[in-house]
Amino acid sequence: MKKIIVLFLILVQTVVFAQQKKVKDNFNVQVRIEKGDLNKDGLTDKTVITMDTIDASVPLRLQIFFQQPNKKFKLVFSSTDVIEPQYVNGIHTKNSIPYFFIERGYLLMNSEKNDVRFEHKFIYKNGSFQLIKISSVVYDGQNSTTETVFDLVSGVKTAITTPLSSAKASNKYTNKIMIRPLPTLQNLKSFGNKLYW
């Protein structure tokens, strides 16, 4: 009798674990895929964005895979925190799903949030994707645009405000802000507005 009870408990535990594992991975819709060499080994790596259509907030997951010499892909990064869910507290965020590009060994993330366009540039170094540059373009809704470039390696942040009217000159503002250690893709969310002020 004890053996039957033990077997039954093991069976129940196995079924519960299998159901939990199945529920956790509902990222069943592939939204975007990008290929290129991220770690400069001559092999084609890839980034994949998938969407969870079961969860009411519709979260998105970014995964990065490095191709191995045997042509199989190894998962080196996976996060649901990098990309904001489509719905927060039942309200659509209206922010676009970011595009990830691989160019010359760099990972570029192009996104738009609250009508501001951003580009984040990462390099793979010491086992993580380090943020080395942020660019943004803002239109003030009236007569000028402001382009900001923040080089995190040098710490130099430059903002150029350009009037749409050719009669006025552009204004350039430069300051230095050192952030160490450099933010990574893994902890980007925790830095929040510290990177944009």
Side-chain angles (χ1 to χ4, degrees), residues 116-119 133-140 144-151 156-164 170-175 196:
V116 179
R117 292 184 184 175
F118 294 99
E119 180 177 270
K133 186 176 181 182
I134 303 172
S135 305
S136 68
V137 177
V138 180
Y139 170 60
D140 71 358
S144 67
T145 60
T146 301
E147 182 175 356
T148 305
V149 177
F150 184 9
D151 182 332
V156 175
K157 182 177 179 183
T158 305
I160 300 173
T161 301
T162 306
L164 299 179
S170 297
N171 291 327
K172 183 176 179 180
Y173 173 78
T174 302
N175 66 336
Y196 306 115

Side-chain angles (χ1 to χ4, degrees), residues 8 18 30 40 47 51 57 62 100 103 108 112 115-117 134 145 150 152 154 156 166 172 188 194:
F8 177 74
Q30 183 173 296
K40 301 179 183 177
T47 65
M51 179 186 291
S57 66
L62 169 66
F100 286 84
E103 292 182 2
L108 304 177
E112 188 172 323
D115 296 325
V116 179
R117 292 184 184 175
I134 303 172
T145 60
F150 184 9
L152 279 83
S154 67
V156 175
S166 60
K172 183 176 179 180
L188 185 64
K194 293 178 187 176

Side-chain angles (χ1 to χ4, degrees), residues 25-31 50-54 61:
D25 195 9
N26 287 319
F27 291 89
N28 51 6
V29 175
Q30 183 173 296
V31 178
T50 51
M51 179 186 291
D52 181 342
T53 57
I54 305 298
R61 178 175 67 189

Side-chain angles (χ1 to χ4, degrees), residues 84-194:
E84 185 178 35
Q86 292 294 285
Y87 291 86
V88 176
N89 299 322
I91 300 169
H92 193 276
T93 61
K94 298 181 183 176
N95 295 322
S96 64
I97 298 171
Y99 284 88
F100 286 84
F101 301 97
I102 300 169
E103 292 182 2
R104 298 180 188 152
Y106 296 103
L107 177 66
L108 304 177
M109 179 177 79
N110 289 339
S111 60
E112 188 172 323
K113 187 168 185 175
N114 301 324
D115 296 325
V116 179
R117 292 184 184 175
F118 294 99
E119 180 177 270
H120 293 72
K121 186 176 185 179
F122 300 89
I123 188 168
Y124 186 73
K125 192 174 180 181
N126 300 326
S128 65
F129 292 92
Q130 296 179 356
L131 181 62
I132 59 171
K133 186 176 181 182
I134 303 172
S135 305
S136 68
V137 177
V138 180
Y139 170 60
D140 71 358
Q142 296 176 13
N143 59 3
S144 67
T145 60
T146 301
E147 182 175 356
T148 305
V149 177
F150 184 9
D151 182 332
L152 279 83
V153 176
S154 67
V156 175
K157 182 177 179 183
T158 305
I160 300 173
T161 301
T162 306
L164 299 179
S165 165
S166 60
K168 295 182 180 179
S170 297
N171 291 327
K172 183 176 179 180
Y173 173 78
T174 302
N175 66 336
K176 193 155 186 172
I177 306 165
M178 296 302 290
I179 296 178
R180 294 294 183 266
L182 291 174
T184 64
L185 192 58
Q186 290 87 335
N187 66 11
L188 185 64
K189 188 174 181 181
S190 65
F191 275 84
N193 290 330
K194 293 178 187 176

